[in-house]
């Protein structure tokens, strides 16, 4: 202690050496503890009383897949990402063994197996061993848990169980024995094959199964096993329990312990008795099978080849030594027509299968064979072998391929829309049919220089180098194909040879394209190796060239025709009749100006509308039925129908429609010609009202019969005059309509013909459009004019005479406007000379057919001409419809009176009656001698043809 006058200072010295040593020892102890904690080979961690994890070692981090609590939370009970029960159910952390131990629960061995999942999804099988830590009072203050990873052990157990199941379920006998030959294991198939139960054979020597003359084999086998060798497919014989000797194939391997020491032998035995018997039987037949030209192959159940005849050697190039033991579809690289497993099931079901296969020969060349498989079974129905017989059909398939290529080329010619598509289709056909590697088409241009127009596999450099070369002159007559079998030895100019060779071409053929005895170009085939061209190949090439030349010229003609049709389209626009084209759904895709004017629409408004949109509501159903039948069957129709104009007014029209069909027969569109007949319909309406008024007047006069007979006679005379007048009005109206058609459409179409002929004369020196094409157009339009005149004569048959009566009636019954089918029957006994009588008979028949179509609801109408027993000429019109009702007999309409009036003019008699079988029969009887004079020398007009519709199709 030291001091001074100003104050007192004190100093205390404490010895801390022991404390520092103690702290160092504690620190060292903790370090050793940490090292030992981390070096423990199992995952170990500790928790406090609340389950919060306090410490864990490296193995725990590895097991969990990361350190717990990295997300800022305090992990409790277990650091695993997820925990599962052994059956896969999710286990909450609060229910894990550690949590239950901290709660003081007693855990059973069943509770001590869990599955933990790492964050990366990997799962591990774990056995936990939690132990609680208590204070001096026995209170739980924490716990320590060891997690034993048993994943690998579980996998090993599963693999062992699986292996045991495989051994027991194997169809082969599996046995194990010691190095002294004592049997230790025996599966079910061993019991089945050898007849011994496990309890009968286990513990006995393997020599029990070996015949005495083969027992020295066992010593050799054991010697090789002790040296670590294995034996595969060792074929020998063994003896069953019943003494039967069977053929077996043995696979023998050593059994080693964990140290790699050989402690036993495993044997797999397969019963091949049936197989060996089959082999011996096949060997007996081998000599005869070798004489066959077909490939004959015998396969075992595993598809291994056990027999290979000489025909197979010649067909495939493999010797028997090379083929035996190989699997057929691997050796021959077989391409099957369907799944192989499906073929096998078919073979098992039917014992036979046949089909075409593609095989690869030893030299790499593929061939097509027709293969026939037959299944050979043993007495128990089990498969012993498969007999396969293959016939080479490569040549036949090649011919079929050529025919198919030609057929497809022919088909594509009709659907191609331009010359380019023809070129592509022809190249496909050439490559497929000729079997060449490359091909090209060259045509003469205007300067008579051959230019490439299509090619496959040729470089631009090569095309530029050889373009213009031709082995024939442009004016060559009957040019022949030119072939170069080998470019290297061919006698051709060196520059040309060098160019061809640099392209990799070794052989080529020049095939001329000739159309109408005129050379128009060539096509060429190229081969990458020397090739000898056979006569058959050249004939095939010439056939393709002929089709190609014709197709090219045809498409050129079509393109020229389309240009001509485009010019004629304007002509259609000027037609006085409405013309429209519809698609197959009934939508308008074209309408000329006349039709637009008739309906009051502009062209843009009318395009896109459907048939039903512009058809009067009462006519829609019938119109759509006829339209759909025409699309489906291609049958044209003619109908009178009503249209609705844009302003809502109704327009009556006579519509003639027909389908435009594609080359395959499918309807492409339809064309309709619409003629306005509103005026005619108004006249008919007036006639109808007159008829109704007349009938009403007849009723009134009939009521007055009892009052004044004299007045009745006068009324009858007045009615006869009225009927004659109405008949004259009807005839005049028909004549007016016919005159309008004749002077309208015919004059217009004739003018078009003159215009087309004038264009043809102006273009005589033009090289694209031929004069004859334009003249054909003129001829077509003239034909249309002729048909229009025929139409006018059909509407007003003023020239029906005795000679043309039958032809006129045939035209009448064949008209497509009738809803009910009609037919004509003419008896040889019928004869008529009077033209006037013939005209009246025709009009009576026409009126009767019209009435039957309107009212009879019949299935058919029969018009008959004959001579009766009373030497009378008879016309009858019979239907099978609803018949004549009693009410109608008392008040017949104007049609009956007109027919009766005409019959009276001829001195004949008209009867309307119902036959016994139903329906209605209208009969006109002419007395003998009627109509033997007044012959006219006019021929009946020809029936209306379909040329008018076809002409309008072409113009549109």
């Amino acid at each position: 202690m030291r001091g001074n006058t100003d104050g007192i200072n004190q100093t205390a010295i404490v010895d801390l050496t022991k404390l520092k040593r103690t702290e160092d020892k504690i620190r060292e102890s903790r370090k050793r503890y940490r090292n030992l904690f981390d070096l423990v080979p199992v995952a170990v961690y500790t928790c406090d009383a609340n389950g919060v994890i306090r410490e864990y070692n490296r193995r725990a981090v590895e097991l969990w897949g990361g350190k717990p609590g990295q997300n800022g939370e305090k992990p409790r009970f277990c650091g695993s990402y997820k925990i599962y029960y052994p059956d896969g159910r999710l286990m909450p952390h609060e229910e894990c063994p550690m949590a239950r131990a901290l709660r003081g629960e007693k855990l059973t061995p069943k509770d001590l197996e869990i599955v933990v999942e790492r964050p990366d999804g990997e799962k591990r099988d774990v056995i936990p061993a939690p132990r609680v830590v208590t204070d001096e009072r026995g209170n739980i203050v924490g716990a320590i848990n060891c997690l034993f990873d048993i994943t690998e052990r579980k996998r090993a157990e599963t693999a062992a169980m699986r292996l045991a199941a495989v051994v027991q379920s194997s169809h082969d006998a599996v046995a194990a024995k010691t190095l002294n030959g004592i049997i230790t294991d025996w599966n079910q198939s061993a019991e089945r094959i050898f007849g011994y139960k496990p309890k009968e054979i286990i513990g006995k020597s393997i020599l029990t199964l070996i015949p005495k003359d083969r027992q020295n084999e066992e010593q050799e086998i054991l010697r090789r096993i002790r040296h670590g060798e294995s034996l595969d497919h060792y074929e020998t014989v063994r003896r069953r329990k019943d003494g039967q000797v069977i053929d077996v194939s043995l696979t023998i391997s050593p059994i080693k312990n964990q140290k790699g020491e050989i402690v036993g032998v495993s044997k797999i035995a397969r019963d091949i008795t049936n197989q060996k018997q089959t082999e011996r039987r096949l060997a007996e037949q081998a000599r005869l099978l070798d004489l066959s030209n077909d490939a004959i192959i015998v396969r075992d159940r595993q598809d291994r080849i056990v027999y290979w005849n000489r025909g197979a050697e010649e067909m495939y190039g493999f010797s028997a030594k090379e083929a035996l033991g190989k699997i057929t579809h691997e050796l021959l690289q077989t391409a099957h027509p369907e799944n192989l497993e499906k073929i096998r099931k078919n073979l098992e079901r039917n014992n036979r299968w046949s089909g075409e296969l593609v095989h690869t020969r030893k030299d790499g060349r593929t061939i097509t064979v027709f293969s026939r498989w037959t299944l050979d079974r043993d007495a128990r129905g089990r498969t012993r072998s498969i007999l396969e017989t293959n016939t080479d059909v490569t040549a036949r398939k090649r011919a079929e391929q050529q025919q198919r290529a030609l057929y497809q080329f022919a088909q594509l010619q009709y659907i191609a829309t331009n010359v380019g598509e023809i070129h592509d289709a022809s190249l496909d056909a050439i490559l497929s049919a000729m079997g060449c590697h490359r091909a090209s088409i060259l045509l003469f241009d205007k300067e008579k220089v051959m230019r490439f127009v299509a090619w496959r596999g040729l470089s631009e450099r090569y095309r530029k180098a050889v373009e213009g070369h031709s082995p024939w002159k442009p004016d060559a007559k009957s040019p022949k194909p030119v072939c170069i079998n080998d470019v290297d030895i061919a006698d051709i100019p060196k520059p040309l040879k060098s160019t061809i060779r640099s392209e990799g071409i070794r052989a080529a053929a020049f095939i001329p394209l000739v159309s109408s005895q005129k050379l128009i170009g060539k096509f060429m085939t190229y081969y990458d190796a020397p090739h000898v061209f056979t006569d058959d190949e050249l004939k095939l090439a010439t056939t393709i060239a002929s089709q190609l030349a014709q197709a090219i010229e045809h498409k050129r003609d079509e393109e020229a025709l389309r240009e001509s049709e485009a010019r004629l389209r304007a002509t259609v626009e000027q037609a006085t009749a409405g013309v429209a084209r519809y698609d197959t759904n009934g939508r308008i895709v074209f309408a000329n100006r006349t039709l637009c004017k008739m309906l009051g629409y502009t062209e843009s408004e009318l395009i896109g509308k459907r048939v039903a949109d512009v058809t009067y509501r009462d006519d829609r159903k019938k119109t759509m039925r006829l339209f759909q039948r025409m699309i489906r069957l291609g049958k044209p129709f003619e109908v009178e129908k009503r249209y609705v104009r844009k302003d809502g007014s109704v327009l009556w029209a006579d519509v003639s429609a027909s389908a435009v069909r594609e080359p395959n027969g499918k309807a492409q569109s339809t064309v309709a010609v619409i003629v306005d007949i509103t005026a005619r319909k108004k006249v008919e309406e007036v006639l109808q009202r007159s008829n109704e008024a007349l009938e009403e007047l007849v009723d009134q006069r009939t009521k007055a019969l009892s009052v004044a007979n004299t007045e009745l006679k006068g009324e009858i005379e007045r009615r006869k005059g009225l009927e004659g007048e109405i008949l004259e009005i009807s005839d005049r109206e028909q004549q007016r309509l016919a005159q309008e058609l004749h002077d309208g459409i015919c004059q217009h179409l004739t003018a078009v013909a003159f215009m087309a002929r004038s264009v043809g004369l102006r273009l005589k020196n033009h090289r694209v459009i031929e004069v004859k094409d334009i003249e054909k157009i003129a001829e077509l339009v003239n034909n249309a004019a002729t048909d229009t005149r025929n139409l006018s004569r059909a509407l007003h048959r003023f020239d029906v005479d005795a000679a043309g009566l039958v032809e006129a009636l045939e035209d009448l019954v064949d008209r497509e406007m009738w809803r009910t089918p009609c037919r004509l029957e003419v008896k040889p006994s019928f004869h008529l000379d009077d033209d006037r009588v013939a005209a009246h008979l025709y009009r009576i028949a026409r009126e009767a057919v019209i009435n039957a179509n309107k009212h009879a609801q019949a299935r058919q109408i029969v018009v008959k001409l004959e001579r009766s027993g009373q030497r009378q000429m008879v016309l009858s019109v019979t239907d099978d419809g609803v018949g004549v009702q009693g009410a109608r007999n008392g008040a017949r309409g104007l049609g009956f009176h007109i027919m009766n009036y005409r019959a009276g003019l001829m001195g004949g008699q008209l009867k309307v009656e119902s036959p016994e079988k139903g329906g209605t029969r209208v009969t006109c009887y002419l007395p003998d001698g009627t109509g033997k004079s007044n012959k006219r020398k006019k021929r009946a007009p020809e029936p209306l043809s379909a040329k008018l519709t076809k002409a309008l199709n072409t113009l549109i």
Side-chain angles (χ1 to χ4, degrees):
M1 179 180 290
R2 293 181 300 174
N4 57 30
T5 58
D6 295 330
I8 299 173
N9 293 327
Q10 295 181 344
T11 300
I13 298 173
V14 179
D15 188 357
L16 299 178
T17 303
K18 286 186 177 181
L19 179 61
K20 291 295 290 180
R21 288 175 179 174
T22 302
E23 288 178 351
D24 290 342
K25 288 180 179 180
I26 292 173
R27 191 178 298 109
E28 186 67 26
S29 176
R30 285 180 176 176
K31 185 176 181 180
R32 287 195 302 270
Y33 166 74
R34 185 73 247 178
N35 289 337
L36 290 172
F37 192 60
D38 284 338
L39 292 174
V40 174
V42 297
V44 181
Y45 69 97
T46 63
C47 295
D48 61 14
N50 295 321
V52 178
I53 298 175
R54 295 300 182 184
E55 291 184 283
Y56 47 86
N57 66 352
R58 282 198 295 264
R59 287 291 294 139
V61 174
E62 293 173 1
L63 180 65
W64 293 334
K67 295 181 179 181
Q70 291 182 345
N71 55 1
E73 298 179 357
K74 292 183 178 181
R76 300 181 64 203
F77 305 122
C78 186
S80 301
Y81 173 62
K82 291 182 181 179
I83 310 174
Y84 298 90
Y85 290 99
D87 60 4
R89 290 180 294 118
L90 184 66
M91 176 186 289
H93 279 55
E94 293 78 8
E95 296 298 325
C96 72
M98 186 66 158
R100 294 176 63 186
L102 286 171
R103 291 199 296 268
E105 297 182 20
K106 292 184 178 181
L107 301 178
T108 65
K110 182 180 178 182
D111 300 324
L112 297 178
E113 186 173 346
I114 61 174
V115 177
V116 299
E117 182 179 346
R118 295 157 53 100
D120 60 4
E122 182 183 356
K123 294 182 179 180
R124 309 291 293 182
D125 294 284
V126 174
I127 294 180
R131 294 292 184 271
V132 296
V133 179
T134 59
D135 58 13
E136 63 275 6
R137 298 179 182 178
N139 297 324
I140 298 175
V141 296
I144 185 171
N145 194 5
C146 296
L147 302 176
F148 297 91
D149 189 348
I150 62 170
T151 303
E152 301 305 325
R153 191 187 76 188
K154 293 281 287 184
R155 290 175 179 173
E157 290 175 355
T158 302
M161 293 174 62
R162 188 181 299 113
L163 179 60
V166 169
V167 170
Q168 285 299 321
S169 61
S170 174
H171 290 286
D172 294 334
V174 180
K177 64 182 179 180
T178 67
L179 292 175
N180 296 323
I182 303 302
I183 298 173
T184 59
D185 292 282
W186 191 259
N187 74 341
Q188 294 177 356
S189 293
E191 178 182 346
R192 174 177 53 80
I193 292 174
F194 294 104
Y196 290 99
K197 294 182 178 180
K199 64 181 181 179
E200 296 175 327
I201 196 68
I202 292 177
K204 293 185 178 180
S205 172
I206 194 67
L207 297 176
T208 307
L209 305 176
I210 303 175
K212 291 182 179 181
D213 59 344
R214 295 290 184 103
Q215 292 189 356
N216 57 340
E217 291 180 357
E218 182 65 14
Q219 300 303 321
E220 178 62 20
I221 290 172
L222 291 174
R223 184 189 66 78
R224 296 177 64 177
I225 291 297
R226 289 189 181 98
H227 285 82
E229 297 182 27
S230 297
L231 284 78
D232 290 332
H233 305 298
Y234 179 74
E235 294 186 1
T236 183
V237 295
R238 289 293 182 261
R239 186 174 59 242
R240 289 170 43 85
K241 180 181 178 180
D242 58 9
Q244 180 185 354
V245 176
I246 60 174
D247 293 288
V248 294
S249 174
L250 301 179
T251 299
I252 307 171
S253 304
I255 300 174
K256 299 180 180 181
N257 61 13
Q258 295 179 346
K259 298 179 181 179
E261 299 172 343
I262 298 174
V263 297
V265 182
S266 72
K267 279 190 177 183
I268 300 175
R270 176 171 295 170
D271 185 356
I272 60 171
T273 304
N274 293 333
Q275 176 184 331
K276 298 300 287 186
Q277 291 175 351
T278 300
E279 290 176 0
R280 287 189 287 270
R281 186 172 64 254
L282 292 176
E284 295 174 359
Q285 300 171 354
R287 186 182 64 83
L288 294 176
L289 295 179
D290 277 339
L291 300 177
S292 173
N293 292 326
D294 290 339
I296 300 176
I297 305 169
V298 179
R299 317 190 313 252
D300 62 13
R301 287 181 293 180
Q302 286 73 39
D303 285 335
R304 291 189 182 89
I305 299 171
V306 297
Y307 177 73
W308 185 265
N309 78 333
R310 291 180 183 173
E313 292 181 345
E314 295 173 358
M315 185 177 295
Y316 298 111
F318 293 101
S319 66
K321 184 178 180 180
E322 293 173 316
L324 293 178
K326 302 291 194 307
I327 296 176
T328 51
H329 56 266
E330 293 179 356
L331 176 69
L332 303 177
Q333 304 176 39
T334 307
H336 298 92
E338 55 185 338
N339 184 270
L340 181 58
E341 197 59 36
K342 186 176 180 180
I343 293 176
R344 284 174 175 158
K345 289 181 180 179
N346 193 332
L347 180 63
E348 283 288 336
R349 183 173 59 253
N350 302 321
N351 292 328
R352 294 179 181 276
W353 179 86
S354 61
E356 290 186 356
L357 305 175
V358 178
H359 287 155
T360 302
R361 288 170 43 88
K362 184 178 180 180
D363 58 10
R365 184 162 54 89
T366 60
I367 61 173
T368 303
V369 300
F370 183 73
S371 186
R372 298 169 292 279
W373 298 2
T374 303
L375 198 63
D376 181 30
R377 299 180 184 272
D378 60 16
R380 298 181 181 179
R382 295 177 300 184
T383 300
R384 290 194 295 198
S385 61
I386 301 171
L387 174 64
E388 179 178 344
T389 305
N390 296 333
T391 303
D392 189 350
V393 295
T394 306
R396 191 196 75 192
K397 296 297 289 185
R398 177 67 178 164
E400 290 176 356
Q401 181 183 0
Q402 293 173 349
Q403 292 298 323
R404 187 162 51 251
L406 291 176
Y407 175 76
Q408 291 175 350
F409 177 45
Q411 291 293 104
L412 290 172
Q413 292 179 34
Y414 293 103
I415 62 177
T417 58
N418 53 57
V419 177
E421 292 182 3
I422 292 290
H423 295 161
D424 288 339
S426 61
L427 288 177
D428 290 337
I430 292 168
L431 292 171
S432 177
M434 301 298 295
C436 55
H437 302 99
R438 287 171 274 187
S440 65
I441 300 173
L442 298 91
L443 300 177
F444 281 123
D445 62 9
K446 295 180 180 179
E447 287 73 30
K448 294 299 180 180
V449 178
M450 278 201 182
R451 306 288 186 187
F452 282 92
V453 295
W455 59 87
R456 298 280 174 85
L458 298 177
S459 67
E460 183 178 0
R461 179 191 60 81
Y462 173 80
R463 298 198 307 273
K464 287 182 177 180
V466 301
E467 192 168 55
H469 174 268
S470 173
W472 318 281
K473 293 182 179 180
D475 58 352
K477 302 296 182 182
S478 303
K480 301 297 181 183
V482 177
C483 301
I484 302 177
N485 296 337
D486 190 342
V487 173
D488 290 349
I489 62 175
D491 184 15
I492 56 179
K494 288 184 178 180
L496 180 61
K497 179 184 292 188
S498 176
T499 301
I500 297 174
R501 199 66 184 87
S502 64
E503 188 72 7
I505 298 171
R506 292 294 305 277
F510 302 73
I511 310 300
L513 300 178
V514 179
S515 177
S516 301
Q517 298 181 350
K518 177 183 177 183
L519 181 66
I520 65 172
K522 67 181 177 181
F523 80 75
M524 296 194 61
T525 60
Y526 308 92
Y527 296 84
D528 296 343
H531 182 82
V532 177
F533 295 89
T534 65
D535 291 341
D536 290 339
E537 285 179 324
L538 294 179
K539 288 180 181 178
L540 178 63
T542 304
T543 300
I544 296 175
S546 176
Q547 292 188 13
L548 174 57
Q550 292 177 8
I552 290 173
E553 290 298 295
H554 179 68
K555 283 301 174 184
R556 287 176 174 175
D557 292 342
E558 284 185 351
E559 290 175 358
L561 182 59
R562 277 196 293 271
E563 294 177 4
S564 176
E565 289 174 351
R567 290 190 294 272
L568 290 174
R569 185 183 180 91
T571 303
V572 176
E573 289 290 349
Q574 303 300 323
T576 56
V579 181
R581 186 174 70 207
Y582 303 86
D583 62 18
T584 55
N585 296 318
R587 196 180 300 276
I588 300 173
V589 296
F590 169 81
N592 70 343
R593 294 176 185 175
T594 303
L595 181 61
C596 294
K597 185 177 180 181
M598 288 167 58
L599 299 180
Y601 290 96
T602 64
E603 183 179 4
S604 60
E605 291 174 333
L606 198 55
I607 298 301
K609 289 186 177 295
R610 297 181 181 275
V611 176
D613 295 339
V614 293
T615 300
Y616 188 69
R617 60 178 180 272
D618 294 343
D619 296 341
R620 288 173 187 167
K621 186 175 181 180
K622 177 182 177 181
T623 301
M624 293 309 299
R625 185 177 70 252
L626 292 172
F627 182 85
Q628 291 167 359
R629 185 184 69 173
M630 178 177 62
I631 293 296
R632 188 174 64 257
L633 304 177
K635 187 175 182 180
F637 69 86
E638 182 178 349
V639 66
E640 292 183 356
K641 57 174 286 189
R642 288 166 287 184
Y643 285 92
V644 180
R645 293 190 179 97
K646 183 178 179 179
D647 60 7
S649 60
V650 177
L651 176 141
W652 273 96
D654 185 0
V655 181
S656 298
S658 65
V660 179
R661 312 193 74 78
E662 296 176 349
N664 59 7
K666 183 180 179 181
Q668 182 185 50
S669 61
T670 63
V671 174
V673 179
I674 300 101
V675 178
D676 187 351
I677 59 170
T678 305
R680 193 192 82 191
K681 283 295 181 179
K682 288 181 179 179
V683 172
E684 290 179 354
E685 185 179 353
V686 171
L687 290 176
Q688 180 64 27
R689 287 199 298 269
S690 299
N691 184 38
E692 293 173 355
L694 181 61
E695 289 183 353
E696 181 179 357
L697 187 60
V698 170
D699 290 339
Q700 293 175 357
R701 294 296 181 264
T702 302
K703 292 178 181 178
L705 272 174
S706 59
V707 178
N709 187 42
T710 304
E711 293 179 2
L712 176 60
K713 291 181 180 181
E715 181 64 15
I716 290 174
E717 292 297 327
R718 190 187 68 81
R719 283 180 59 199
K720 286 183 179 180
L722 182 59
E723 289 173 352
E725 181 181 353
I726 292 172
L727 187 59
E728 291 176 1
I729 292 173
S730 175
D731 289 342
R732 286 198 304 273
E733 183 60 19
Q734 289 188 10
Q735 187 172 4
R736 186 186 67 80
L737 289 174
Q739 190 66 33
E740 287 181 358
L741 288 173
H742 182 272
D743 296 340
I745 294 178
C746 291
Q747 294 299 325
H748 176 70
L749 292 178
T750 302
V752 172
F754 281 117
M755 290 172 59
R757 186 173 290 106
S758 176
V759 171
L761 292 175
R762 290 196 303 270
L763 297 179
K764 275 187 176 180
N765 297 323
H766 198 283
R767 300 185 63 184
V768 178
I769 299 178
E770 298 288 340
V771 174
K772 62 180 182 180
D773 295 336
I774 303 302
E775 290 179 345
K776 286 181 180 179
I777 296 171
E779 181 184 355
L780 182 63
V781 176
N782 282 328
N783 289 340
T786 302
D787 290 340
T788 305
R789 294 188 185 95
N790 291 337
L791 176 62
S792 68
R793 288 197 295 271
L795 288 173
H796 180 66
R797 300 198 67 93
F798 59 89
D799 56 348
V800 174
D801 55 16
L805 174 62
V806 174
E807 185 177 359
L809 289 176
E810 288 177 345
D811 176 48
L812 175 68
V813 300
D814 289 339
R815 291 183 185 177
E816 295 181 358
M817 62 183 288
W818 305 128
R819 291 179 298 178
T820 305
C822 302
R823 61 186 174 89
L824 173 66
E825 295 181 3
V826 181
K827 299 295 184 180
S829 58
F830 181 85
H831 181 72
L832 191 66
D833 293 327
D834 194 319
D835 294 339
R836 183 181 60 85
V837 172
H840 285 307
L841 283 179
Y842 172 81
R843 285 168 173 76
I844 291 174
R846 181 176 179 273
E847 184 67 29
V849 171
I850 292 173
N851 287 338
N853 271 276
K854 286 184 178 180
H855 308 296
Q857 304 176 19
R859 292 187 301 274
Q860 69 169 352
I861 301 171
V862 180
V863 179
K864 184 184 294 185
L865 295 174
E866 60 183 353
R867 187 184 186 93
S868 69
Q870 289 77 27
R871 301 181 62 80
Q872 291 179 315
M873 299 299 170
V874 179
L875 164 69
S876 64
V877 179
T878 308
D879 64 66
D880 57 355
V882 297
V884 180
Q885 300 177 0
R888 287 185 58 192
N889 289 335
R892 294 188 173 96
L894 180 60
F896 168 78
H897 291 292
I898 292 174
M899 291 188 291
N900 193 41
Y901 176 79
R902 291 187 181 279
L905 291 177
M906 297 183 292
Q909 182 183 7
L910 186 76
K911 286 187 178 181
V912 180
E913 55 190 352
S914 292
E916 293 181 359
K917 295 182 178 179
T920 303
R921 180 188 296 124
V922 177
T923 309
C924 180
Y925 297 90
L926 298 178
D928 186 29
T930 300
K932 290 188 178 180
S933 61
N934 195 23
K935 265 192 184 177
R936 287 184 291 180
K937 296 184 180 180
K938 295 181 181 179
R939 291 184 66 242
E942 295 179 0
L944 177 63
S945 72
K947 291 183 179 178
L948 179 58
T949 302
K950 292 181 180 177
L952 290 172
N953 289 346
T954 304
L955 294 177
I956 293 173

